[in-house]
């Protein structure tokens, strides 16, 4: 009886062991199959990212897309100067052009996906009023999916921050048109310090994604010059080639980035110069209704050449976001006379009204810059 009992236990143990092995094998096979599937997905994602990295977003063409714009022109975060429809612009096709790079696609902006990826992070756009133009675009691209009570805007010094509270995320703008410091000196003179940056840069610390621009204020004509003197160390200059000054200012910025930003925690982008269309007394962009098909002689601004040379010398991996050529095709995208509300008489006569051919109507061209930035992220 004891022998039978022992044999029975041995048989039962062997059966359980075999069954367990069979079940485990089946589950292991399913697990391996699942992992293989996931590997395929991972490879697909990696291949897509590789194709995005190899894609030249800056060359392509504008195609009309009825599904645009990506947000409504009544977005409450738009400043008056860019709300062209509200200000009386009669056409709206400028809102419906999509940029198609040669050989690849820029993914359509998905607000929930973007917010999910920058959860618990800060993204800051640093620069001039055209960078604010881009900041307003980015805020309008995401704000509609956030309940009213869960979003806010705060102001600290030269910064403003849109906060998505449920995502613990902020999308910020920092006013620093030169990046380096512009200060008041004796006699109320404006002094641009080519080698000083910390007063502005202190706002850039602990930010996860930094996007810079600086170009327009360096090239204002003598009448509209933004400074009275330039200083480098103890040396003051009344006259200096603007591009030499620009390079010196950018090198101060680049050195600060190299010394103060950790590439393991922070991504840094530099957006190239936004082109103007303000020849012919500033009215070249007035009444333009569609993009230019192509540029027979593409002009590369000197500022972009200087920027490219500076970026080559930085140790920090700064990504150049080149929007210059694509935006040069969009002389239809500026506010022109619609940077403020006009009455019917003013629209007919147009006397005494300036034409803004530098900033951009929203929705409009900067939305595409942000779709590109989203893809680069």
């Amino acid at each position: 009886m004891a022998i039978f009992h022992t044999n029975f236990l041995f048989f039962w143990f062997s059966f359980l062991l075999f069954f367990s092995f069979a079940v485990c094998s089946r589950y292991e096979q399913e697990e391996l199959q699942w992992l293989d599937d996931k590997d395929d997905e991972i490879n697909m994602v990696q291949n897509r990212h590789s194709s995005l990295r190899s894609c030249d977003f800056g060359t392509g063409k504008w195609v009309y897309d009825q599904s645009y714009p990506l947000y409504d022109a009544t977005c409450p975060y738009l400043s008056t100067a860019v709300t062209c429809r509200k200000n009386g612009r009669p056409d709206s096709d400028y809102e419906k052009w999509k940029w198609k790079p040669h050989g690849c696609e820029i993914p359509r902006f998905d607000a929930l996906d973007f917010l999910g990826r920058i959860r618990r992070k800060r993204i800051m756009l640093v620069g001039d009023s055209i960078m604010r133009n881009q900041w307003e675009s980015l805020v309008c691209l995401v704000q509609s999916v956030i309940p009213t009570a869960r979003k806010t805007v705060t102001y600290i010094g030269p910064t403003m921050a849109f906060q998505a509270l449920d995502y613990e995320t902020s999308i910020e703008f920092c006013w620093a048109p030169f990046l380096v410091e512009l200060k008041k000196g004796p006699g109320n003179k404006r002094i641009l310090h080519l080698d000083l940056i910390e007063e502005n840069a202190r706002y850039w610390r602990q930010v996860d994604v930094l996007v810079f621009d600086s170009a327009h204020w360096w090239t204002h004509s003598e009448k509209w010059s933004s400074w009275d003197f330039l200083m480098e160390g103890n040396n003051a200059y009344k006259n200096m080639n603007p591009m030499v000054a620009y390079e010196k200012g950018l090198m101060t910025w680049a050195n600060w980035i190299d010394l103060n930003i950790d590439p393991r925690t922070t991504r840094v982008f530099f957006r190239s110069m936004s082109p103007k269309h303000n020849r012919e007394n500033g009215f070249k962009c007035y009444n333009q209704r569609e993009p230019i098909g192509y540029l027979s002689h593409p002009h590369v601004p000197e500022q972009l050449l200087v920027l490219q040379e500076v970026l080559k010398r930085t140790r920090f991996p700064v990504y150049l976001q080149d929007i210059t050529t694509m935006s040069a095709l969009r002389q239809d995208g500026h506010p022109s006379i619609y940077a403020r509300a006009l009455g019917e008489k003013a629209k007919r006569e147009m006397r005494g009204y300036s034409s803004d051919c530098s900033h951009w109507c929203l929705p409009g061209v900067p939305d595409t810059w942000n779709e590109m930035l989203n893809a680069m992220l």
Side-chain angles (χ1 to χ4, degrees):
M1 188 69 180
I3 294 172
F4 172 79
H5 183 69
T6 302
N7 289 339
F8 176 78
L9 288 175
F10 177 78
F11 170 78
W12 182 244
F13 176 77
S14 299
F15 174 77
L16 287 175
L17 185 64
F18 173 78
F19 179 78
S20 299
F21 177 77
V23 171
C24 287
S25 297
R26 177 164 57 84
Y27 280 130
E28 283 171 2
Q29 288 169 1
E30 289 177 358
E31 181 80 2
L32 288 171
Q33 179 65 43
W34 179 83
L35 286 172
D36 288 341
D37 292 342
K38 285 298 180 186
D39 284 344
D40 289 340
E41 290 180 22
I42 290 168
N43 289 334
M44 286 170 60
V45 171
Q46 288 174 340
N47 290 336
R48 186 170 73 87
H49 286 172
S50 297
S51 68
L52 288 177
R53 279 197 296 271
S54 62
C55 177
D56 179 6
F57 289 141
T59 59
K61 63 180 180 179
W62 291 97
V63 295
Y64 192 83
D65 190 329
Q66 191 65 47
S67 70
Y68 279 70
L70 297 169
Y71 56 89
D72 193 88
T74 59
C75 171
Y77 300 96
L78 295 178
S79 55
T80 302
V82 300
T83 53
C84 303
R85 293 274 294 278
K86 276 187 181 179
N87 293 339
R89 180 166 174 166
D91 62 308
S92 61
D93 278 356
Y94 64 89
E95 299 177 351
K96 297 183 179 298
W97 294 94
K98 174 186 176 180
W99 180 248
K100 188 179 186 319
H102 296 315
C104 59
E105 292 277 346
I106 297 177
R108 186 181 178 90
F109 193 93
D110 183 320
L112 289 173
D113 173 70
F114 177 79
L115 286 167
R117 284 187 290 110
I118 65 166
R119 183 187 292 273
R120 299 188 184 89
K121 289 183 169 60
R122 295 172 62 197
I123 177 169
M124 178 180 281
L125 283 61
V126 182
D128 55 24
S129 56
I130 297 175
M131 186 58 96
R132 174 169 174 171
N133 215 174
Q134 185 177 351
W135 175 80
E136 292 182 14
S137 160
L138 185 55
V139 169
C140 286
L141 283 167
V142 303
Q143 66 89 27
S144 64
V145 300
I146 305 169
T148 302
R150 307 303 299 160
K151 55 191 173 188
T152 184
V153 176
T154 58
Y155 303 86
I156 301 174
T159 71
M160 55 182 73
F162 172 85
Q163 296 169 325
L165 301 179
D166 291 331
Y167 291 87
E168 300 176 55
T169 290
S170 66
I171 301 170
E172 305 173 33
F173 168 70
C174 179
W175 171 257
F178 293 108
L179 303 181
V180 292
E181 297 172 17
L182 181 67
K183 297 182 177 184
K184 286 290 179 72
N188 225 25
K189 296 295 185 181
R190 298 162 302 165
I191 302 174
L192 183 60
H193 294 265
L194 299 176
D195 54 354
L196 298 181
I197 199 169
E198 187 56 43
E199 277 193 18
N200 296 328
R202 60 194 167 123
Y203 295 100
W204 313 338
R205 297 179 185 275
Q206 283 78 55
V207 175
D208 301 284
V209 180
L210 284 162
V211 186
F212 294 93
D213 95 311
S214 184
H216 285 287
W217 282 48
W218 294 91
T219 55
H220 288 170
S221 64
E222 205 167 297
K223 179 182 176 183
W224 303 104
S225 178
S226 305
W227 64 77
D228 298 302
F229 293 98
L230 295 160
M231 283 201 74
E232 189 177 23
N234 295 321
N235 300 314
Y237 304 91
K238 179 67 176 172
N239 297 305
M240 181 185 289
N241 183 310
M243 288 302 94
V244 172
Y246 183 52
E247 182 178 15
K248 288 177 180 289
L250 283 183
M251 282 307 303
T252 298
W253 165 82
N255 290 334
W256 187 91
I257 293 290
D258 279 341
L259 291 171
N260 293 277
I261 301 297
D262 184 348
R264 294 169 298 181
T265 59
T266 303
R267 302 280 296 279
V268 177
F269 299 85
F270 204 111
R271 199 207 68 216
S272 69
M273 181 181 185
S274 170
K276 303 176 186 178
H277 295 96
N278 60 352
R279 298 186 188 90
E280 298 175 13
N281 299 320
F283 276 81
K284 189 173 184 182
C285 68
Y286 172 68
N287 216 22
Q288 299 295 324
R289 299 296 178 92
E290 59 184 38
I292 304 166
Y294 66 96
L295 298 172
S296 55
H297 301 288
H299 172 65
V300 180
E302 198 172 356
Q303 294 97 314
L304 179 53
L305 297 175
V306 172
L307 172 62
Q308 288 171 332
E309 286 303 312
V310 169
L311 293 184
K312 286 178 186 175
R313 285 181 262 169
T314 60
R315 295 193 306 274
F316 192 99
V318 178
Y319 299 88
L320 175 64
Q321 184 187 6
D322 188 357
I323 55 86
T324 302
T325 300
M326 63 184 289
S327 305
L329 298 170
R330 292 300 308 276
Q331 62 181 12
D332 61 309
H334 299 288
S336 182
I337 63 170
Y338 303 105
R340 54 177 169 163
L342 300 179
E344 289 304 316
K345 182 179 179 183
K347 279 188 266 185
R348 285 195 304 270
E349 296 180 357
M350 279 181 27
R351 283 200 295 267
Y353 286 91
S354 60
S355 180
D356 182 350
C357 298
S358 296
H359 299 93
W360 300 92
C361 295
L362 291 178
V365 172
D367 303 332
T368 299
W369 302 350
N370 285 322
E371 285 194 298
M372 185 194 298
L373 176 65
N374 181 44
M376 294 175 75
L377 281 169

